Amino acid sequence: MRALVLALLMLWQAMATFAQQAPPPQMSALARLLPEASAIAPEEGGRIALRLGLSQPVPWRVRLLDAPPRVLLDFREVDWTGIDRMPREGVTALNAGGVLPGWSRLVAELPGPMVVERAGMATDGRALVEVLLRPATQAEFGVKAGAPEPPGWALPKPADLPKPQAAGEERLVVVLDPGHGGIDPGAESEGETEAKLMLT
């Protein structure tokens, strides 16, 4: 019995020492969508209210894009499982997924030009993101949708590339990076999407 107690004490001491030396586990800021607390619904005056319940607060932003009119919500790591159960009245399409390393995006296609009237996040352990959109003129919407990306989201400055060789000296290679390979379909016209054309 004494040997068993001694062995247990030695084991406990070894585990305590290991716990002090081991690095802390890498924690993820991954939040989960709460479909039962989320909905997109029309409101009076042609407005659209977008409410997203999340399991915890995370950094986020909202932006507008044109052709077709869309509202984009970018979040720091959100698991969109269950989004198909979320009521979505008032928008013509809804897509969600990853957009940048560590960031995810929700894209809602709007019925016409709209701007953000109010946006915010309420927190109490969980989080509720609320965005209220109101109808706008094409001019007002164009200004908001054409706003430049903030620092950190904008494309890097073009590289300082060497000038091409003179004709006949060497073959010139041109590389195009059109983008739109993710969840956002991009511009749409006559049944075609920018993403489909680029990926093809």
Side-chain angles (χ1 to χ4, degrees), residues 31-40 49-58 60 73 75 86 119-131:
R32 289 176 293 103
L33 175 73
L34 305 175
E36 66 281 1
S38 304
I40 300 175
L50 191 151
R51 295 179 180 87
L52 296 174
L54 302 175
S55 60
Q56 68 182 53
V58 288
W60 69 290
L73 282 85
F75 295 90
M86 185 180 109
M121 175 187 279
T123 61
D124 61 353
R126 292 184 173 185
L128 179 64
V129 173
E130 293 187 283
V131 177

Side-chain angles (χ1 to χ4, degrees), residues 57-199:
V58 288
W60 69 290
R61 70 169 193 163
V62 60
R63 284 185 52 80
L64 297 167
L65 285 182
D66 201 356
R70 290 160 288 167
V71 61
L72 279 63
L73 282 85
D74 291 324
F75 295 90
R76 191 77 177 151
E77 295 182 291
V78 170
D79 177 358
W80 296 107
T81 302
I83 194 169
D84 54 322
R85 302 195 312 268
M86 185 180 109
R88 58 182 76 180
E89 191 180 346
V91 296
T92 56
L94 188 68
N95 296 292
V99 63
L100 289 172
W103 286 86
S104 55
R105 173 172 286 176
L106 180 80
V107 181
E109 191 172 317
L110 303 171
M114 304 187 87
V115 294
V116 177
E117 183 173 294
R118 187 175 67 245
M121 175 187 279
T123 61
D124 61 353
R126 292 184 173 185
L128 179 64
V129 173
E130 293 187 283
V131 177
L132 183 63
L133 299 150
R134 65 165 173 81
T137 64
Q138 186 61 48
E140 183 185 12
F141 175 74
V143 169
K144 300 291 186 182
E149 288 275 18
W153 287 84
L155 292 173
K157 291 181 180 177
D160 204 4
L161 299 174
K163 292 180 181 177
Q165 300 289 329
E169 288 185 22
E170 221 176 286
R171 195 169 116 194
L172 175 66
V173 177
V174 178
V175 179
L176 301 178
D177 179 15
H180 280 298
I183 60 165
D184 187 352
E188 297 177 12
S189 177
E190 299 178 6
E192 292 292 341
T193 68
E194 185 177 356
K196 181 180 173 186
L197 291 172
M198 294 305 110
L199 291 172

Side-chain angles (χ1 to χ4, degrees), residues 12-24:
W12 175 80
Q13 185 178 11
M15 289 175 63
T17 302
F18 174 77
Q20 289 174 354
Q21 294 174 348

